[in-house]
């Protein structure tokens, strides 16, 4: 068997693993909590306990496993690592290939509401000229692409693997889109494969501040608020841990589904549209639990966290200027500032929205799809 072979893949979690999950949830040893502190100390016990009970008794993994399996899936080995990906080909012959990259604590389950509209706009009330052949890989070490087996899987190595994946699929000219970690991997893909990538669209932001006082001169009030997000240490604790001691963290998350649930759901609370009080007010509760379930059922809490350790020296560092066209969609709570983005990226499209949040593909799939389509109309014929 050739290492470059592309093999069909079908998710089929053993029933014993689902039974074990329910058993562990039923036997959770819950911690105490302080009265009246809300989310300020982290995820509240009362909230996680209620969600865990629904995960145990109400959520149906098999239903969502079947929904994921309706999208064609494959695996292939790249650079010694198993890579899992969805590959949704458009019925439109002139569709543009597009590779979508998720982040942490995301997964390919994030994209379930946008895959159809992107690949087949005609069937979703859109213009068939906006169609994409969509490739959505699981990041190395995440979900069905995990765990990683060696050190060194930083952003550039992921981007090189994506370039090889697209080449292996026969796509010589394609676009890239991503949020969270994907908003770093996608521009990097443009740098490692500049002759292949026609454009890069990200949701969130591009570029990091230098924290030179002059840098904030002339910023709007909204931009000043976003600038402050770069120095928000209160919300960065998870990243500090994952970028320094991911293995120690893994013992708790890998052994306790309630621990894994609390660790991920807190980020859904903090990063979704701030207009909503609870995560499930912003995203579909079952879709969120499908995401959490993928981490639990594949045992990849530790290997996904390692991406932060591998990339710790890259975060916030200057990058090689890119001449490839970039588009940016900024949602509430995102740190996108056009001036910073344009420092090292050729930005030709910039959108700001008043609803949605960090998990745009789950929160406001309509807005994200429309913005992706609008950006790529600018570069399809280039």
């Amino acid at each position: 068997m050739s290492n470059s072979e592309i093999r069909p893949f079908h998710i089929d979690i053993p029933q014993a693993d689902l039974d074990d999950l329910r058993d562990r949830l039923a036997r959770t040893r819950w911690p105490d909590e302080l009265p009246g502190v809300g989310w300020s100390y982290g995820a509240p016990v009362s909230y996680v306990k209620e969600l865990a009970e629904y995960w145990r008794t109400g959520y149906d993994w098999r239903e969502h496993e079947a929904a994921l399996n309706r999208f064609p899936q494959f695996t292939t080995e790249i650079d010694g690592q198993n890579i899992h990906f969805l590959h949704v080909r458009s019925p439109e012959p002139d569709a543009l290939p597009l590779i979508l990259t998720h982040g942490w604590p995301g997964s390919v389950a994030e994209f379930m509401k946008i895959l159809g509209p992107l690949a087949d706009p005609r069937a979703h009330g859109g213009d068939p000229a906006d169609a994409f052949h969509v490739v959505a890989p699981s990041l190395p070490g995440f979900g069905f692409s995990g765990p990683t087996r060696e050190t060194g899987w930083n952003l550039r190595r992921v981007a090189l693997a994506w370039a090889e994946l697209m080449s292996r699929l026969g796509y010589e000219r394609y676009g890239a889109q991503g949020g969270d970690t994907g908003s770093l991997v996608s521009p990097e893909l443009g740098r490692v494969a500049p002759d292949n990538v026609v454009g890069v669209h990200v949701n969130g932001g591009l570029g990091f501040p230098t924290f030179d006082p002059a840098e904030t001169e002339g910023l709007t009030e909204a931009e000043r608020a976003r600038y402050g997000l770069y120095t928000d240490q209160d919300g960065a604790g998870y990243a500090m841990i994952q970028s320094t001691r991911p293995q120690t963290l893994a013992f708790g998350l890998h052994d306790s589904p309630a621990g894994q649930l609390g660790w991920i759901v807190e980020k859904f609370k903090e990063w979704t549209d701030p207009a909503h009080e609870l995560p499930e007010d912003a995203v579909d509760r079952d879709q969120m639990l499908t995401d959490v379930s993928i981490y639990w059922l594949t045992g990849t809490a530790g290997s996904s966290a390692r991406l932060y350790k591998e990339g710790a020296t890259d975060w916030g560092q200057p990058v090689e200027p890119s001449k490839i066209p970039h588009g940016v969609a900024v949602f509430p709570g995102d740190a996108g500032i056009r001036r910073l983005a344009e420092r090292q990226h050729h930005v030709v499209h910039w959108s700001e929205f008043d609803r949605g949040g960090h998990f745009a593909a789950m929160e406001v799939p309509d807005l994200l799809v429309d913005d992706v389509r609008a950006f790529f109309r600018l570069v399809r014929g280039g």
Side-chain angles (χ1 to χ4, degrees), residues 77-116:
E77 184 180 312
I78 300 177
D79 194 8
Q81 177 66 31
N82 176 65
I83 300 295
H84 160 263
F85 62 99
L86 310 183
H87 187 195
V88 185
R89 287 189 59 85
S90 174
E92 307 297 339
D94 296 328
L96 176 70
L98 178 68
I99 183 165
L100 300 178
T101 306
H102 65 84
W104 184 91
S107 66
V108 292
E110 275 186 69
F111 302 135
M112 293 176 73
K113 293 179 178 178
I114 67 172
L115 291 168

Side-chain angles (χ1 to χ4, degrees), residues 25 57 65 81 136 142 152 175 212 223 247 275 281 286 291 293 348 374:
L25 287 169
T57 62
E65 179 183 73
Q81 177 66 31
F142 287 65
D212 180 336
E223 287 173 332
Q247 189 61 54
D281 298 333
D286 276 15
D291 180 69
S293 297
V348 301

Side-chain angles (χ1 to χ4, degrees), residues 60-381:
D60 183 356
W61 165 260
R62 292 299 185 204
E63 175 188 338
H64 300 285
E65 179 183 73
L68 278 167
N69 280 331
R70 283 195 278 275
F71 300 110
Q73 296 171 70
F74 304 87
T75 60
T76 191
E77 184 180 312
I78 300 177
D79 194 8
Q81 177 66 31
N82 176 65
I83 300 295
H84 160 263
F85 62 99
L86 310 183
H87 187 195
V88 185
R89 287 189 59 85
S90 174
E92 307 297 339
D94 296 328
L96 176 70
L98 178 68
I99 183 165
L100 300 178
T101 306
H102 65 84
W104 184 91
S107 66
V108 292
E110 275 186 69
F111 302 135
M112 293 176 73
K113 293 179 178 178
I114 67 172
L115 291 168
L118 288 174
D120 192 2
R122 189 192 301 266
H124 293 83
D127 184 345
D130 288 326
F132 298 95
H133 298 306
V134 184
V135 179
S138 297
L139 282 165
F142 287 65
F144 303 104
S145 286
T148 43
R149 304 293 183 187
E150 59 184 2
T151 60
W153 276 101
N154 58 16
L155 299 175
R156 186 172 184 84
R157 189 170 175 183
V158 174
L160 288 167
W162 279 192
E164 170 60 25
L165 175 60
M166 295 303 273
S167 173
R168 205 171 282 186
L169 293 172
Y171 294 142
E172 296 181 0
R173 183 177 181 276
Y174 51 88
Q177 200 285 330
D180 193 83
T181 308
S183 72
L184 301 173
V185 171
S186 300
E188 188 66 15
L189 177 55
R191 293 185 182 91
V192 303
D195 296 333
N196 307 102
V197 177
V198 301
V200 174
H201 182 280
V202 303
N203 53 290
L206 282 173
F208 290 86
T210 63
F211 300 110
D212 180 336
E215 193 171 51
T216 60
E217 291 180 8
L219 292 181
T220 66
E221 185 177 343
E223 287 173 332
R224 284 181 180 277
R226 292 182 206 147
Y227 194 90
L229 294 173
Y230 289 103
T231 57
D232 176 22
Q233 294 299 308
D234 185 62
Y238 80 98
M240 300 297 186
I241 295 173
Q242 295 195 157
S243 62
T244 56
R245 297 294 184 268
Q247 189 61 54
T248 307
L249 174 68
F251 290 103
L253 303 190
H254 188 82
D255 190 57
S256 167
Q260 179 72 91
L261 179 65
W263 189 247
I264 289 180
V265 163
E266 185 209 272
K267 303 338 286 181
F268 274 91
K269 158 65 176 174
E270 293 196 348
W271 295 348
T272 48
D273 190 333
H276 295 300
E277 183 178 352
L278 294 175
E280 62 263 36
D281 298 333
V283 300
D284 179 82
R285 182 167 61 166
D286 276 15
Q287 190 180 15
M288 180 171 67
L289 286 173
T290 298
D291 180 69
V292 177
S293 297
I294 288 173
Y295 280 84
W296 174 261
L297 295 169
T298 59
T300 50
S303 62
S304 61
R306 286 199 288 266
L307 181 67
Y308 283 71
K309 176 77 169 174
E310 301 292 352
T313 57
D314 299 331
W315 305 112
Q317 295 302 306
V319 293
E320 173 191 341
S322 175
K323 297 179 180 178
I324 290 170
H326 283 65
V328 181
V330 182
F331 294 93
D334 287 336
I337 299 172
R338 185 160 189 166
R339 183 193 301 179
L340 301 185
E342 290 178 335
R343 186 180 289 147
Q344 292 157 330
H345 305 86
H346 176 40
V347 178
V348 301
H349 174 91
W350 186 273
S351 300
E352 299 187 9
F353 297 94
D354 60 6
R355 64 183 175 95
H358 189 75
F359 299 94
M362 298 173 70
E363 297 180 69
V364 283
D366 54 332
L367 297 183
L368 182 61
V369 167
D370 284 349
D371 204 67
V372 170
R373 289 171 176 170
F375 166 70
F376 280 102
R377 282 182 206 128
L378 304 177
V379 299
R380 277 179 183 266

Side-chain angles (χ1 to χ4, degrees), residues 46-62:
S46 56
Y47 176 76
V48 178
K49 185 181 287 189
E50 181 181 340
L51 191 59
E53 183 62 13
Y54 174 73
W55 193 15
R56 185 178 76 88
T57 62
Y59 171 81
D60 183 356
W61 165 260
R62 292 299 185 204

